Amino acid sequence: MKTHRIALIPGDGIGTPVIDAAWQVLEKTAKTYGFAVDGTTFPWSCDFYRKTGSMMPADGIETLRGFDAILLGAVGWPAEVPDSVSLHGLLLPIRKAFVQYANIRPHRLLPGVEGPLKAENFDILCIRENTEGEYSGAGGRVHQGTADEVAVETSIFTRTGVERILRYGFEQARARRGKLASVTKSNAQKYSMVFWDEITAKLSAEYPDVQVASYHIDAMAARMVMAPESLDVVVASNLFGDILTDLGAAIQGGLGFAASANINPDRSAPSMFEPVHGSAPDIAHLGIANPIATIWSAAMMLDHLGEAEGAKAIMAALEATTARGIGTLPGRNKTDEITHAVLSALDA
Ligand code: NAD
Ligand code: IPM
Ligand code: MN
């Protein structure tokens, strides 16, 4: 029997209950579909930082490298550790070190979920560049705390980085409905974004079967609200993809439904799966975190690990659950109730 070794990083706040929920679903799915999941939990978090002075041990990345995949809850507890410390100490280094350059985020309504829009039949796959661009971390501050202070943060776009994420987008579009929307802001940002547009145009010659269109980020934000059905695969830079995918989460009913996969397409290192949402300090102790986004992310993980049947079964169980009105409205059901409903739907 095939065993998948999974590193579990619950992190902070609602990260713990949503990872617990997803793990129960994974274990049950594994039993039914004839494979095994072997989970190792790492307590790396803001709590860990308070105790040790770092978000993960110095050899944390090397430890994770030995796993088949990583399932992460959420990182951040801003009341006690600045976000710029916690995220740059755990989540962002993993994405970069393991070259998880494609951040994949599906946006569609599960049955029974009422989104804020009139549109109901959209099915968008956002692909966010995940290792460079605006989040490269290149910059600095001088004359700190004085009137002459300067802060510089430079976006870095490399030909390798832009070409590989666009190619990934073209491939996904080819496997779906054949439409790719590339998002930039090349009317205002005349170097990096013009570069991105040029590479899009160059690659489009290799994918004559894919209908490609370029949009500016502001227009894309409006389109996702006004005409989401017109979109299939959307590819964007790190910052633009970050913002568009919270918008995507909103139109699919909220952050409790938005799943994501940080993929290393070359499989030279583990990929990481996590909900789009954060640690939700405002509801962290109420037992009402929606685990659906994380369970959906776990299904994406199984797909990546070659367990397509198991992944399909989890999606069907999620759909059966929301179709019954369970987990569809914020606070309507407790985390445990939603999890139990998904587990029993897996039996059906
Ligand atoms: P957030 O996603 O944690 O919360 C935004 C709002 O959505 C809150 O009102 C929250 O209650 C609600 N929400 C989020 N997930 C939910 C769920 N599963 N069920 C029900 N409601 C849910 O964003 P934030 O408040 O901006 O950030 C809180 C912390 O999380 C910060 O430290 C931030 O940096 C961090 N963060 C981490 C990640 C990550 O680890 N991937 C992502 C986003 C934010
Ligand atoms: C996300 C999050 C992270 C990001 C933050 C917490 C650094 O917002 O996964 O979308 O921007 O990548
Ligand atoms: Mn985000």
Side-chain angles (χ1 to χ4, degrees), residues 195-240:
F195 178 56
W196 179 294
D197 281 353
E198 281 172 13
I199 297 175
T200 307
K202 186 191 97 178
L203 288 182
S204 70
E206 289 178 40
Y207 295 89
D209 50 324
V210 174
Q211 187 191 327
V212 59
S214 292
Y215 297 92
H216 296 307
I217 176 71
D218 41 2
M220 176 54 75
R223 176 171 287 269
M224 280 180 66
V225 172
M226 302 300 288
E229 286 129 325
S230 68
L231 296 165
D232 178 10
V233 177
V234 173
V235 61
S237 65
N238 214 331
L239 169 67
F240 292 172

Short mmCIF file of all heavy atoms in Angstrom, two decimals, residues 195-240:
data_model
loop_
_atom_site.label_atom_id
_atom_site.label_comp_id
_atom_site.label_asym_id
_atom_site.label_seq_id
_atom_site.Cartn_x
_atom_site.Cartn_y
_atom_site.Cartn_z
N PHE A 195 7.25 43.80 -19.76
CA PHE A 195 8.05 42.56 -19.89
C PHE A 195 7.12 41.35 -19.81
O PHE A 195 7.14 40.44 -20.65
CB PHE A 195 9.06 42.59 -18.75
CG PHE A 195 9.98 41.40 -18.62
CD1 PHE A 195 10.81 41.00 -19.66
CD2 PHE A 195 10.09 40.73 -17.39
CE1 PHE A 195 11.68 39.92 -19.50
CE2 PHE A 195 10.96 39.67 -17.22
CZ PHE A 195 11.76 39.26 -18.28
N TRP A 196 6.24 41.35 -18.82
CA TRP A 196 5.27 40.23 -18.62
C TRP A 196 4.37 40.10 -19.86
O TRP A 196 4.16 38.99 -20.37
CB TRP A 196 4.46 40.51 -17.35
CG TRP A 196 3.42 39.51 -16.98
CD1 TRP A 196 2.27 39.22 -17.68
CD2 TRP A 196 3.39 38.66 -15.82
NE1 TRP A 196 1.54 38.24 -17.02
CE2 TRP A 196 2.20 37.89 -15.88
CE3 TRP A 196 4.24 38.48 -14.72
CZ2 TRP A 196 1.85 36.96 -14.88
CZ3 TRP A 196 3.88 37.56 -13.73
CH2 TRP A 196 2.70 36.81 -13.82
N ASP A 197 3.84 41.23 -20.32
CA ASP A 197 2.96 41.19 -21.51
C ASP A 197 3.70 40.64 -22.73
O ASP A 197 3.13 39.88 -23.53
CB ASP A 197 2.44 42.60 -21.84
CG ASP A 197 1.28 43.03 -20.94
OD1 ASP A 197 0.79 42.19 -20.14
OD2 ASP A 197 0.88 44.21 -21.02
N GLU A 198 4.96 41.04 -22.88
CA GLU A 198 5.74 40.57 -24.04
C GLU A 198 5.92 39.04 -23.98
O GLU A 198 5.81 38.36 -24.99
CB GLU A 198 7.14 41.21 -24.04
CG GLU A 198 7.15 42.64 -24.58
CD GLU A 198 8.52 43.32 -24.38
OE1 GLU A 198 9.51 42.62 -24.06
OE2 GLU A 198 8.56 44.55 -24.53
N ILE A 199 6.18 38.55 -22.79
CA ILE A 199 6.39 37.09 -22.66
C ILE A 199 5.06 36.36 -22.91
O ILE A 199 5.03 35.30 -23.54
CB ILE A 199 7.02 36.74 -21.29
CG1 ILE A 199 8.40 37.40 -21.20
CG2 ILE A 199 7.14 35.23 -21.10
CD1 ILE A 199 9.11 37.24 -19.86
N THR A 200 3.96 36.94 -22.45
CA THR A 200 2.65 36.35 -22.73
C THR A 200 2.44 36.24 -24.24
O THR A 200 2.02 35.18 -24.75
CB THR A 200 1.51 37.23 -22.13
OG1 THR A 200 1.79 37.45 -20.76
CG2 THR A 200 0.15 36.58 -22.30
N ALA A 201 2.73 37.33 -24.94
CA ALA A 201 2.53 37.34 -26.40
C ALA A 201 3.44 36.31 -27.08
O ALA A 201 3.01 35.57 -27.98
CB ALA A 201 2.79 38.73 -26.95
N LYS A 202 4.67 36.24 -26.62
CA LYS A 202 5.62 35.28 -27.22
C LYS A 202 5.14 33.83 -27.03
O LYS A 202 5.10 33.04 -27.97
CB LYS A 202 7.01 35.47 -26.59
CG LYS A 202 8.10 34.64 -27.24
CD LYS A 202 9.38 34.64 -26.46
CE LYS A 202 9.45 33.43 -25.61
NZ LYS A 202 10.49 33.08 -24.80
N LEU A 203 4.71 33.52 -25.80
CA LEU A 203 4.29 32.13 -25.52
C LEU A 203 3.00 31.77 -26.23
O LEU A 203 2.75 30.60 -26.53
CB LEU A 203 4.11 31.93 -24.01
CG LEU A 203 5.38 31.87 -23.17
CD1 LEU A 203 5.03 31.61 -21.71
CD2 LEU A 203 6.32 30.78 -23.67
N SER A 204 2.17 32.77 -26.47
CA SER A 204 0.86 32.46 -27.06
C SER A 204 1.03 31.78 -28.43
O SER A 204 0.18 30.98 -28.84
CB SER A 204 -0.01 33.71 -27.17
OG SER A 204 0.52 34.56 -28.14
N ALA A 205 2.16 32.03 -29.09
CA ALA A 205 2.42 31.39 -30.38
C ALA A 205 2.56 29.87 -30.22
O ALA A 205 2.25 29.11 -31.13
CB ALA A 205 3.68 31.97 -31.01
N GLU A 206 3.03 29.46 -29.05
CA GLU A 206 3.20 28.02 -28.80
C GLU A 206 1.89 27.34 -28.40
O GLU A 206 1.83 26.12 -28.32
CB GLU A 206 4.20 27.79 -27.65
CG GLU A 206 5.62 28.11 -27.99
CD GLU A 206 6.51 27.89 -26.77
OE1 GLU A 206 6.32 26.91 -26.03
OE2 GLU A 206 7.40 28.74 -26.56
N TYR A 207 0.89 28.14 -28.07
CA TYR A 207 -0.39 27.57 -27.60
C TYR A 207 -1.54 28.12 -28.46
O TYR A 207 -2.39 28.85 -27.96
CB TYR A 207 -0.62 27.94 -26.13
CG TYR A 207 0.38 27.32 -25.17
CD1 TYR A 207 1.58 27.98 -24.87
CD2 TYR A 207 0.14 26.09 -24.58
CE1 TYR A 207 2.50 27.41 -23.99
CE2 TYR A 207 1.07 25.52 -23.69
CZ TYR A 207 2.24 26.19 -23.42
OH TYR A 207 3.14 25.64 -22.54
N PRO A 208 -1.54 27.77 -29.74
CA PRO A 208 -2.57 28.35 -30.62
C PRO A 208 -3.98 27.93 -30.21
O PRO A 208 -4.96 28.60 -30.57
CB PRO A 208 -2.21 27.78 -32.00
CG PRO A 208 -1.32 26.61 -31.74
CD PRO A 208 -0.65 26.85 -30.44
N ASP A 209 -4.09 26.83 -29.46
CA ASP A 209 -5.39 26.35 -29.02
C ASP A 209 -5.91 27.11 -27.80
O ASP A 209 -7.05 26.90 -27.38
CB ASP A 209 -5.31 24.86 -28.70
CG ASP A 209 -4.15 24.53 -27.76
OD1 ASP A 209 -3.08 25.18 -27.90
OD2 ASP A 209 -4.30 23.66 -26.90
N VAL A 210 -5.08 27.96 -27.21
CA VAL A 210 -5.52 28.72 -26.03
C VAL A 210 -5.81 30.16 -26.46
O VAL A 210 -4.99 30.82 -27.10
CB VAL A 210 -4.44 28.70 -24.92
CG1 VAL A 210 -4.85 29.61 -23.76
CG2 VAL A 210 -4.20 27.28 -24.43
N GLN A 211 -6.99 30.61 -26.07
CA GLN A 211 -7.40 31.99 -26.38
C GLN A 211 -6.89 32.86 -25.23
O GLN A 211 -7.33 32.70 -24.09
CB GLN A 211 -8.92 31.98 -26.42
CG GLN A 211 -9.58 33.25 -26.89
CD GLN A 211 -11.09 33.17 -26.60
OE1 GLN A 211 -11.70 32.11 -26.64
NE2 GLN A 211 -11.67 34.31 -26.27
N VAL A 212 -5.94 33.75 -25.54
CA VAL A 212 -5.34 34.53 -24.46
C VAL A 212 -5.73 36.00 -24.56
O VAL A 212 -5.83 36.56 -25.65
CB VAL A 212 -3.80 34.34 -24.43
CG1 VAL A 212 -3.16 34.75 -25.73
CG2 VAL A 212 -3.16 35.06 -23.26
N ALA A 213 -6.00 36.61 -23.41
CA ALA A 213 -6.31 38.04 -23.37
C ALA A 213 -5.53 38.67 -22.22
O ALA A 213 -5.34 38.03 -21.18
CB ALA A 213 -7.80 38.25 -23.17
N SER A 214 -5.06 39.89 -22.40
CA SER A 214 -4.37 40.59 -21.32
C SER A 214 -5.29 41.65 -20.74
O SER A 214 -5.98 42.36 -21.48
CB SER A 214 -3.09 41.25 -21.85
OG SER A 214 -2.17 40.26 -22.20
N TYR A 215 -5.32 41.75 -19.43
CA TYR A 215 -6.15 42.74 -18.73
C TYR A 215 -5.28 43.50 -17.75
O TYR A 215 -4.33 42.94 -17.20
CB TYR A 215 -7.26 42.05 -17.91
CG TYR A 215 -8.24 41.26 -18.75
CD1 TYR A 215 -8.03 39.90 -18.99
CD2 TYR A 215 -9.39 41.86 -19.27
CE1 TYR A 215 -8.94 39.18 -19.75
CE2 TYR A 215 -10.30 41.13 -20.02
CZ TYR A 215 -10.06 39.79 -20.26
OH TYR A 215 -10.96 39.07 -21.01
N HIS A 216 -5.66 44.74 -17.48
CA HIS A 216 -5.03 45.46 -16.37
C HIS A 216 -5.71 45.03 -15.08
O HIS A 216 -6.90 44.71 -15.06
CB HIS A 216 -5.13 46.97 -16.60
CG HIS A 216 -4.38 47.43 -17.82
ND1 HIS A 216 -3.07 47.11 -18.04
CD2 HIS A 216 -4.79 48.14 -18.91
CE1 HIS A 216 -2.67 47.61 -19.19
NE2 HIS A 216 -3.71 48.24 -19.76
N ILE A 217 -4.95 45.06 -14.01
CA ILE A 217 -5.44 44.57 -12.73
C ILE A 217 -6.73 45.27 -12.28
O ILE A 217 -7.64 44.63 -11.74
CB ILE A 217 -4.33 44.67 -11.63
CG1 ILE A 217 -4.80 44.26 -10.25
CG2 ILE A 217 -3.75 46.07 -11.54
CD1 ILE A 217 -5.07 42.82 -10.05
N ASP A 218 -6.81 46.56 -12.51
CA ASP A 218 -8.01 47.28 -12.05
C ASP A 218 -9.24 46.79 -12.82
O ASP A 218 -10.30 46.52 -12.25
CB ASP A 218 -7.82 48.81 -12.15
CG ASP A 218 -7.10 49.27 -13.41
OD1 ASP A 218 -6.76 48.43 -14.27
OD2 ASP A 218 -6.87 50.50 -13.54
N ALA A 219 -9.07 46.63 -14.13
CA ALA A 219 -10.19 46.14 -14.94
C ALA A 219 -10.53 44.70 -14.57
O ALA A 219 -11.70 44.30 -14.57
CB ALA A 219 -9.84 46.24 -16.43
N MET A 220 -9.51 43.90 -14.25
CA MET A 220 -9.78 42.51 -13.87
C MET A 220 -10.57 42.44 -12.56
O MET A 220 -11.47 41.60 -12.41
CB MET A 220 -8.46 41.74 -13.75
CG MET A 220 -8.63 40.31 -13.27
SD MET A 220 -9.79 39.32 -14.26
CE MET A 220 -8.82 38.99 -15.73
N ALA A 221 -10.25 43.34 -11.62
CA ALA A 221 -11.00 43.35 -10.35
C ALA A 221 -12.48 43.59 -10.64
O ALA A 221 -13.36 42.91 -10.09
CB ALA A 221 -10.44 44.43 -9.43
N ALA A 222 -12.76 44.53 -11.52
CA ALA A 222 -14.16 44.82 -11.87
C ALA A 222 -14.78 43.64 -12.61
O ALA A 222 -15.93 43.24 -12.35
CB ALA A 222 -14.23 46.08 -12.74
N ARG A 223 -14.02 43.03 -13.52
CA ARG A 223 -14.56 41.90 -14.30
C ARG A 223 -14.91 40.72 -13.41
O ARG A 223 -15.91 40.04 -13.62
CB ARG A 223 -13.54 41.49 -15.38
CG ARG A 223 -13.94 40.26 -16.20
CD ARG A 223 -13.00 40.04 -17.37
NE ARG A 223 -13.23 41.02 -18.42
CZ ARG A 223 -14.08 40.87 -19.44
NH1 ARG A 223 -14.79 39.75 -19.55
NH2 ARG A 223 -14.23 41.80 -20.33
N MET A 224 -14.09 40.48 -12.40
CA MET A 224 -14.39 39.33 -11.51
C MET A 224 -15.71 39.52 -10.77
O MET A 224 -16.35 38.55 -10.38
CB MET A 224 -13.25 39.09 -10.52
CG MET A 224 -12.09 38.33 -11.15
SD MET A 224 -10.71 38.01 -10.04
CE MET A 224 -11.45 36.89 -8.85
N VAL A 225 -16.11 40.77 -10.60
CA VAL A 225 -17.40 41.03 -9.95
C VAL A 225 -18.53 41.10 -10.97
O VAL A 225 -19.61 40.52 -10.77
CB VAL A 225 -17.32 42.36 -9.15
CG1 VAL A 225 -18.69 42.77 -8.63
CG2 VAL A 225 -16.33 42.21 -7.99
N MET A 226 -18.28 41.77 -12.09
CA MET A 226 -19.36 42.04 -13.06
C MET A 226 -19.59 40.89 -14.05
O MET A 226 -20.72 40.69 -14.50
CB MET A 226 -19.05 43.32 -13.87
CG MET A 226 -18.85 44.57 -13.04
SD MET A 226 -20.29 44.99 -12.05
CE MET A 226 -21.43 45.55 -13.31
N ALA A 227 -18.51 40.18 -14.40
CA ALA A 227 -18.65 39.14 -15.43
C ALA A 227 -17.76 37.94 -15.12
O ALA A 227 -16.95 37.51 -15.95
CB ALA A 227 -18.31 39.71 -16.81
N PRO A 228 -17.89 37.36 -13.94
CA PRO A 228 -16.98 36.26 -13.57
C PRO A 228 -17.11 35.05 -14.48
O PRO A 228 -16.15 34.29 -14.66
CB PRO A 228 -17.38 35.92 -12.12
CG PRO A 228 -18.77 36.43 -11.96
CD PRO A 228 -18.88 37.63 -12.86
N GLU A 229 -18.30 34.88 -15.10
CA GLU A 229 -18.49 33.72 -15.98
C GLU A 229 -17.63 33.80 -17.24
O GLU A 229 -17.43 32.80 -17.91
CB GLU A 229 -19.96 33.59 -16.40
CG GLU A 229 -20.84 33.06 -15.28
CD GLU A 229 -22.06 33.93 -15.06
OE1 GLU A 229 -21.93 35.17 -15.23
OE2 GLU A 229 -23.13 33.39 -14.72
N SER A 230 -17.14 35.02 -17.55
CA SER A 230 -16.34 35.17 -18.77
C SER A 230 -14.91 34.67 -18.56
O SER A 230 -14.12 34.63 -19.50
CB SER A 230 -16.31 36.65 -19.20
OG SER A 230 -15.57 37.41 -18.24
N LEU A 231 -14.57 34.28 -17.32
CA LEU A 231 -13.17 33.93 -17.02
C LEU A 231 -12.98 32.43 -16.84
O LEU A 231 -13.86 31.75 -16.31
CB LEU A 231 -12.73 34.66 -15.74
CG LEU A 231 -12.72 36.19 -15.87
CD1 LEU A 231 -12.63 36.84 -14.49
CD2 LEU A 231 -11.57 36.66 -16.76
N ASP A 232 -11.81 31.97 -17.25
CA ASP A 232 -11.45 30.56 -17.05
C ASP A 232 -10.18 30.53 -16.19
O ASP A 232 -10.27 30.54 -14.96
CB ASP A 232 -11.26 29.90 -18.43
CG ASP A 232 -10.84 28.44 -18.36
OD1 ASP A 232 -10.87 27.87 -17.27
OD2 ASP A 232 -10.48 27.87 -19.41
N VAL A 233 -9.00 30.58 -16.81
CA VAL A 233 -7.76 30.62 -16.02
C VAL A 233 -7.26 32.07 -16.00
O VAL A 233 -7.23 32.74 -17.03
CB VAL A 233 -6.69 29.69 -16.64
CG1 VAL A 233 -5.38 29.81 -15.86
CG2 VAL A 233 -7.18 28.25 -16.64
N VAL A 234 -6.91 32.53 -14.81
CA VAL A 234 -6.39 33.90 -14.63
C VAL A 234 -4.98 33.78 -14.07
O VAL A 234 -4.78 33.09 -13.05
CB VAL A 234 -7.28 34.68 -13.64
CG1 VAL A 234 -6.67 36.05 -13.33
CG2 VAL A 234 -8.70 34.85 -14.21
N VAL A 235 -4.01 34.40 -14.72
CA VAL A 235 -2.64 34.31 -14.22
C VAL A 235 -2.13 35.71 -13.89
O VAL A 235 -2.36 36.66 -14.64
CB VAL A 235 -1.72 33.57 -15.24
CG1 VAL A 235 -1.65 34.27 -16.58
CG2 VAL A 235 -0.33 33.35 -14.67
N ALA A 236 -1.51 35.84 -12.72
CA ALA A 236 -1.10 37.17 -12.25
C ALA A 236 0.16 37.07 -11.40
O ALA A 236 0.53 36.01 -10.91
CB ALA A 236 -2.23 37.79 -11.43
N SER A 237 0.76 38.24 -11.20
CA SER A 237 1.96 38.33 -10.36
C SER A 237 1.60 38.09 -8.89
O SER A 237 0.42 38.00 -8.53
CB SER A 237 2.59 39.71 -10.52
OG SER A 237 1.69 40.69 -10.00
N ASN A 238 2.62 38.03 -8.06
CA ASN A 238 2.45 37.69 -6.65
C ASN A 238 1.45 38.63 -5.93
O ASN A 238 0.47 38.16 -5.34
CB ASN A 238 3.84 37.76 -6.00
CG ASN A 238 4.01 36.74 -4.90
OD1 ASN A 238 3.07 36.34 -4.24
ND2 ASN A 238 5.25 36.33 -4.65
N LEU A 239 1.67 39.91 -6.00
CA LEU A 239 0.79 40.88 -5.32
C LEU A 239 -0.60 40.91 -5.96
O LEU A 239 -1.62 40.85 -5.27
CB LEU A 239 1.41 42.28 -5.39
CG LEU A 239 0.52 43.45 -4.96
CD1 LEU A 239 0.20 43.39 -3.47
CD2 LEU A 239 1.21 44.79 -5.28
N PHE A 240 -0.63 40.99 -7.29
CA PHE A 240 -1.94 41.07 -7.95
C PHE A 240 -2.74 39.79 -7.71
O PHE A 240 -3.95 39.83 -7.46
CB PHE A 240 -1.78 41.32 -9.46
CG PHE A 240 -1.22 42.68 -9.81
CD1 PHE A 240 -0.86 42.99 -11.12
CD2 PHE A 240 -1.08 43.67 -8.85
CE1 PHE A 240 -0.35 44.24 -11.45
CE2 PHE A 240 -0.57 44.92 -9.16
CZ PHE A 240 -0.21 45.21 -10.48
#
